[in-house]
C-alpha cells in the first residue's frame, strides 16, 4: 500500500506539474506585447485631449487588450507582421487619433466604446463621420455665395 500511495502521489505531482505548465503557457499567451508602453500611450493621449487622467478599471484594461489584439490582427492581414514596440505604438496612436476626430467619439472617449466602434473607426480613415461637419462646410460656402450676391447688387 505504501508503494501504491507513493505511485499515486508521483502521478498526481506529475499531472500537477503538467497542468502548471499549461496554465503558465496560457498566461504567457494572454499577455499583451508592449503592455506598459501601450497603457502609458493611452494615458498620455487621453490627458492631452481631456486635461486629466482616465480611469482604468478592469473593463477598461480588457477593452484596451482587445483593441490592441484587433489592431495586430488588422496589421497582419495587411502584411505587417513585425509588431515591434514602435510600430505598435504608432498604429495605436493613429487609431486613437482617428477615433478622436469623430465628434461623438471624442465626447464619449472610453475604451469600451472605442472597442465597440472599432470597425467604424478604422473604416473612416480620418474622414469625419459627423453629419454636422458637412453642414458647416456648406454653410461656409453658402455665406460666400450670399456675399457674392450682395456684391452684385451694389
Amino acid at each position: 500500500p505504501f508503494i501504491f500511495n507513493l505511485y499515486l502521489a508521483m502521478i498526481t505531482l506529475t499531472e500537477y506539474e503538467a497542468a502548471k505548465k499549461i496554465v503558465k503557457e496560457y498566461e504567457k499567451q494572454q499577455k499583451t506585447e508592449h503592455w506598459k508602453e501601450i497603457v502609458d500611450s493611452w494615458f498620455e493621449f487621453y490627458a492631452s485631449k481631456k486635461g486629466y487622467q482616465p480611469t482604468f478599471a478592469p473593463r477598461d484594461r480588457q477593452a484596451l487588450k482587445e483593441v490592441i489584439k484587433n489592431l495586430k490582427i488588422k496589421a497582419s492581414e495587411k502584411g505587417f507582421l513585425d509588431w515591434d514596440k514602435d510600430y505598435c505604438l504608432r498604429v495605436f496612436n493613429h487609431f486613437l487619433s482617428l477615433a478622436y476626430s469623430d465628434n461623438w467619439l471624442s465626447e464619449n472617449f472610453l475604451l469600451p466604446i472605442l472597442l465597440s466602434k472599432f470597425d467604424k473607426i478604422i473604416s473612416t480613415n480620418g474622414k469625419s463621420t459627423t453629419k454636422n461637419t458637412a453642414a458647416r462646410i456648406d454653410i461656409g460656402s453658402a455665406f460666400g455665395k450670399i456675399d457674392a450676391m450682395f456684391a452684385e447688387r451694389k
Side-chain angles (χ1 to χ4, degrees):
F2 174 74
I3 294 175
F4 181 71
N5 287 339
L6 184 60
Y7 176 72
L8 283 176
M10 286 175 48
I11 290 174
T12 305
L13 185 60
T14 305
E15 289 173 349
Y16 171 76
E17 289 299 321
K20 194 172 170 182
K21 278 185 179 180
I22 291 169
V23 168
K24 195 177 255 189
E25 185 62 32
Y26 176 78
E27 287 174 349
K28 185 179 175 184
Q29 290 174 357
Q30 296 305 308
K31 287 184 181 178
T32 302
E33 292 176 273
H34 320 300
W35 179 246
K36 182 186 177 321
E37 293 85 358
I38 292 166
V39 172
D40 289 346
S41 183
W42 163 247
F43 273 73
E44 288 170 19
F45 188 92
Y46 191 95
S48 73
K49 300 296 184 185
K50 300 290 188 180
Y52 56 92
Q53 297 292 321
T55 57
F56 203 57
R59 69 183 175 96
D60 299 313
R61 288 183 194 95
Q62 188 58 40
L64 181 54
K65 285 183 179 191
E66 289 295 317
V67 165
I68 296 301
K69 183 178 100 177
N70 290 344
L71 289 172
K72 188 175 181 181
I73 289 169
K74 292 295 180 189
S76 68
E77 287 174 356
K78 295 187 182 253
F80 300 104
L81 302 176
D82 187 22
W83 191 254
D84 64 3
K85 181 179 75 169
D86 293 333
Y87 184 72
C88 170
L89 294 175
R90 211 164 10 124
V91 169
F92 180 54
N93 282 312
H94 182 67
F95 172 81
L96 293 175
S97 295
L98 287 176
Y100 205 81
S101 69
D102 181 279
N103 290 342
W104 187 86
L105 284 173
S106 68
E107 294 295 320
N108 299 281
F109 207 65
L110 303 170
L111 287 166
I113 292 174
L114 296 180
L115 176 60
S116 72
K117 302 293 184 188
F118 182 86
D119 290 329
K120 177 185 176 191
I121 293 166
I122 63 168
S123 68
T124 62
N125 201 21
K127 299 174 199 153
S128 179
T129 57
T130 305
K131 293 176 184 172
N132 292 341
T133 304
R136 279 189 223 123
I137 292 167
D138 290 339
I139 288 170
S141 62
F143 283 131
K145 290 176 184 176
I146 291 169
D147 289 342
M149 284 179 6
F150 282 112
E152 289 176 5
R153 289 186 181 177
K154 288 182 181 181

